[in-house]
C-alpha cells in the first residue's frame, strides 16, 4: 500500500512538472522575440487588407492590442502543430489543415460546436470522445475510453484523455491517421475519410494543407479588392435581386461594372477549385480560402494561362479579365454590359450558403485605398 501511494505521488509530481514545462513553452512562444519581430508585426498589420477599419488616434492602442493578440494566438497554434508533428511524424501543415477545417465548422455552427480548447479549433462530441456505450460520458481514463471505442487519447502524457486539452484534442484525430501507415497524400486522404466519412471534408483539408505547405506559415488571411482600386469601376449591393435568365432565381453576389479587359484579381490566399464555362456565369473561376469560403468570379473574358485547378493564388494576383460571357452555350458573349460578378459561399460541412459580399468589398476597397495613401 505504501509503495502504491509513493507511485501515485511520483506520478502527480511528474504531471505537475510536465504541465509547467508546457505552459512555460507556450508563453515563450507566444511573446515577440525582439524589436525586429515587433516591427515585422507592425508592417504586417499595415499590409493586411482584411484588418480593422482606420481608427482614430484614441483607438490605435486597441487596434494594436488586437493585432498582437492575433499574432500571439497564431504563434501558439504553430507551436502546438510543430510539437505534435515531431511526436507523430505527420507534417505540421496537415495538422494545421485539420485544425483550421474544424475551426471553420465551429464558426459556421457556434452553438452546436462550442470552443473546447484554448488554442485548437477541434470539436469532438462527448459520445464520440468517450465511446457511445460508455456509461461515463465525461470519462478521462484512456484505457476505458479505448475499451468503449471512443476516440479520446492522452496526447501530452499526463495520464488523462482530456476533452478540453488542446494537445489531446488534436492528437486524438492524428492518432486515427496513424492507423494508416505511410506519408503519401493517398494515406492522408484515407485516414481523413475514415474519421469524417465525408468526401467534402477530405477535399477541404487537403486544400488547406496545400495552401499551408506552399507558404509555410499560418497568417494567410489578407485580402484585396477584386479589381485594381481606382475610378474605373462602379458597384452597389445587388445581392438578392431577381434574375430571370434560366428561370426565376436570386442574384447571389455583387456586380462590379468595368471596362472590358480590366484585370480581375484574387481577393484572398486560396486554391483554384473550379475553372471553365458555366451557362450562367460564362467563363468563371472558383477559389477556396482558409475560412472555407468559396470565391466565385464570373463573366470573365479569359483566364490567366498559368492557372489550373489546384493552383495556389494570393491576394492581388491577376486571375483573369472583365468580360461579358455567359447566358448561353460556351463562347456566348455580349448579352449584357461588361462586368465582374463576384460571389462568396460559406461551407457549412454538408452544404454551402451564399452571403452578401458587398460589406466585404467595401472594407477591402477602403483598406487598399488606405494602404496606397500610406505608400505614396
Amino acid at each position: 500500500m505504501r509503495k502504491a501511494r509513493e507511485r501515485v505521488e511520483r506520478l502527480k509530481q511528474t504531471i505537475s512538472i510536465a504541465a509547467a514545462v508546457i505552459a512555460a513553452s507556450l508563453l515563450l512562444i507566444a511573446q515577440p522575440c525582439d524589436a525586429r519581430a515587433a516591427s515585422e508585426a507592425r508592417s504586417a498589420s499595415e499590409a493586411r487588407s482584411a484588418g480593422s477599419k482606420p481608427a482614430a488616434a484614441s483607438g490605435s492602442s486597441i487596434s494594436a492590442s488586437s493585432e498582437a493578440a492575433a499574432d500571439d494566438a497564431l504563434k501558439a497554434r504553430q507551436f502546438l502543430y510543430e510539437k505534435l508533428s515531431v511526436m507523430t511524424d505527420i507534417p505540421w501543415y496537415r495538422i494545421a489543415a485539420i485544425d483550421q477545417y474544424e475551426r471553420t465548422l465551429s464558426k459556421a455552427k457556434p452553438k452546436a460546436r462550442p470552443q473546447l480548447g484554448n488554442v485548437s479549433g477541434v470539436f469532438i462530441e462527448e459520445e464520440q470522445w468517450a465511446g457511445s456505450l460508455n456509461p461515463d460520458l465525461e470519462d478521462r481514463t484512456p484505457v476505458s475510453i479505448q475499451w468503449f471505442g471512443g476516440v479520446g487519447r492522452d496526447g501530452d502524457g499526463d495520464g488523462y484523455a482530456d476533452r478540453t486539452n488542446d494537445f489531446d484534442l488534436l492528437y486524438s484525430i492524428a492518432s486515427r491517421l496513424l492507423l494508416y501507415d505511410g506519408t503519401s497524400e493517398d494515406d492522408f486522404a484515407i485516414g481523413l475519410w475514415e474519421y469524417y466519412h465525408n468526401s467534402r471534408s477530405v477535399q477541404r483539408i487537403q486544400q488547406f494543407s496545400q495552401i499551408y505547405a506552399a507558404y509555410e506559415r499560418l497568417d494567410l488571411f489578407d485580402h484585396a479588392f477584386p479589381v485594381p482600386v481606382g475610378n474605373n469601376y462602379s458597384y452597389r449591393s445587388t445581392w438578392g435581386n431577381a434574375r430571370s435568365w434560366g428561370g426565376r432565381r436570386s442574384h447571389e453576389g455583387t456586380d462590379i461594372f468595368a471596362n472590358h479587359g480590366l484585370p480581375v484579381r484574387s481577393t484572398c490566399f486560396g486554391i483554384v477549385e473550379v475553372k471553365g464555362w458555366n451557362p450562367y456565369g460564362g467563363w468563371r473561376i472558383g477559389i477556396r480560402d482558409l475560412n472555407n469560403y468559396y470565391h466565385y468570379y464570373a463573366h470573365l473574358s479569359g483566364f490567366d494561362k498559368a492557372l489550373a485547378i489546384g493552383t495556389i493564388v494570393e491576394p492581388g494576383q491577376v486571375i483573369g479579365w472583365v468580360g461579358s460571357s455567359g447566358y448561353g452555350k460556351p463562347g456566348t458573349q455580349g448579352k449584357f454590359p461588361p462586368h465582374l460578378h463576384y460571389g462568396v459561399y460559406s461551407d457549412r460541412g454538408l452544404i454551402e450558403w451564399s452571403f452578401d459580399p458587398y460589406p466585404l468589398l467595401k472594407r477591402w476597397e477602403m483598406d487598399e485605398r488606405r494602404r496606397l495613401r500610406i505608400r505614396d
Side-chain angles (χ1 to χ4, degrees):
M1 183 66 70
R2 187 185 65 184
K3 291 183 177 181
R5 285 197 298 269
E6 290 176 351
R7 285 197 296 271
V8 171
E9 290 301 323
R10 285 197 297 269
L11 178 59
K12 288 180 178 179
Q13 292 176 3
T14 301
I15 292 170
S16 299
I17 294 171
V21 170
I22 292 171
S25 300
L26 286 171
L27 287 173
L28 288 173
I29 287 294
Q31 294 179 3
C33 296
D34 51 24
R36 178 182 177 184
S39 176
E40 290 176 351
R42 287 192 296 271
S43 298
S45 173
E46 293 175 354
R48 185 171 291 118
S49 61
S52 58
K53 296 181 180 181
S58 60
S60 60
S61 60
I62 297 177
S63 177
S65 298
S66 299
E67 291 288 345
D71 290 342
D72 288 349
L74 289 178
K75 289 175 183 177
R77 285 166 56 184
Q78 183 77 53
F79 172 73
L80 183 66
Y81 304 150
E82 292 178 353
K83 183 178 178 181
L84 188 56
S85 178
V86 171
M87 181 177 177
T88 62
D89 285 333
I90 299 174
W92 75 265
Y93 49 83
R94 288 181 178 172
I95 298 171
I98 294 171
D99 192 43
Q100 181 60 22
Y101 177 69
E102 289 276 328
R103 196 181 310 278
T104 65
L105 294 182
S106 296
K107 183 178 180 181
K109 305 174 183 178
K111 293 183 178 179
R113 296 172 56 96
Q115 179 83 15
L116 295 179
N118 295 320
V119 177
S120 171
V122 171
F123 177 83
I124 301 177
E125 296 280 0
E126 284 185 329
E127 287 190 1
Q128 185 183 8
W129 182 268
S132 59
L133 299 179
N134 194 329
D136 180 10
L137 293 182
E138 297 182 356
D139 193 356
R140 300 169 61 208
T141 307
V143 174
S144 59
I145 288 175
Q146 291 188 52
W147 176 263
F148 286 105
V151 303
R153 295 293 183 270
D154 173 21
D156 59 6
D158 66 355
Y160 298 101
D162 188 349
R163 186 167 164 264
T164 62
N165 180 289
D166 292 308
F167 205 86
D168 288 359
L169 283 165
L170 269 173
Y171 179 75
S172 295
I173 297 182
S175 64
R176 312 296 288 187
L177 305 182
L178 295 176
L179 297 176
Y180 304 90
D181 295 333
T183 58
S184 70
E185 193 68 26
D186 288 341
D187 295 324
F188 183 50
I190 292 171
L192 292 174
W193 168 257
E194 290 299 328
Y195 181 78
Y196 288 100
H197 295 286
N198 183 345
S199 58
R200 183 191 293 265
S201 301
V202 176
Q203 181 188 25
R204 298 294 177 265
I205 293 172
Q206 287 181 308
Q207 290 171 326
F208 292 0
S209 176
Q210 292 173 50
I211 297 171
Y212 282 134
Y215 291 99
E216 298 184 336
R217 59 189 177 93
L218 296 176
D219 187 13
L220 299 172
F221 297 96
D222 296 349
H223 289 87
F225 195 67
V227 297
V229 171
N231 300 314
N232 49 359
Y233 59 83
S234 64
Y235 69 103
R236 60 184 178 85
S237 179
T238 54
W239 191 81
N241 289 356
R243 290 292 184 269
S244 59
W245 191 88
R248 294 175 62 86
R249 54 196 176 90
S250 175
H251 188 241
E252 298 180 344
T254 296
D255 290 335
I256 302 176
F257 289 89
N259 292 329
H260 191 281
L262 184 71
V264 172
R265 310 181 303 172
S266 172
T267 59
C268 61
F269 287 99
I271 186 169
V272 176
E273 186 172 304
V274 174
K275 176 187 174 187
W277 181 267
N278 178 298
Y280 297 93
W283 298 117
R284 56 71 163 102
I285 191 166
I287 295 172
R288 178 77 53 181
D289 73 7
L290 289 167
N291 283 316
N292 211 354
Y293 291 164
Y294 176 79
H295 301 252
Y296 176 69
Y297 310 77
H299 306 315
L300 303 176
S301 61
F303 309 109
D304 183 278
K305 293 182 179 179
L307 295 183
I309 294 177
T311 300
I312 306 296
V313 296
E314 58 188 48
Q317 178 179 337
V318 175
I319 58 175
W321 295 269
V322 170
S324 59
S325 61
Y327 285 16
K329 62 183 181 180
T332 302
Q333 304 274 349
K335 289 195 172 183
F336 40 76
H339 69 278
L340 169 68
H341 169 95
Y342 176 74
V344 186
Y345 297 76
S346 175
D347 189 337
R348 301 176 62 86
L350 296 176
I351 56 176
E352 285 188 320
W353 291 95
S354 66
F355 63 91
D356 188 359
Y358 182 78
L360 293 176
L361 291 171
K362 293 298 291 184
R363 187 176 71 188
W364 298 341
E365 181 186 34
M366 182 173 61
D367 288 344
E368 193 160 348
R369 288 186 185 277
R370 177 173 55 86
R371 291 197 307 274
L372 290 173
R373 286 196 299 269
I374 293 173
R375 189 179 306 167
D376 293 341

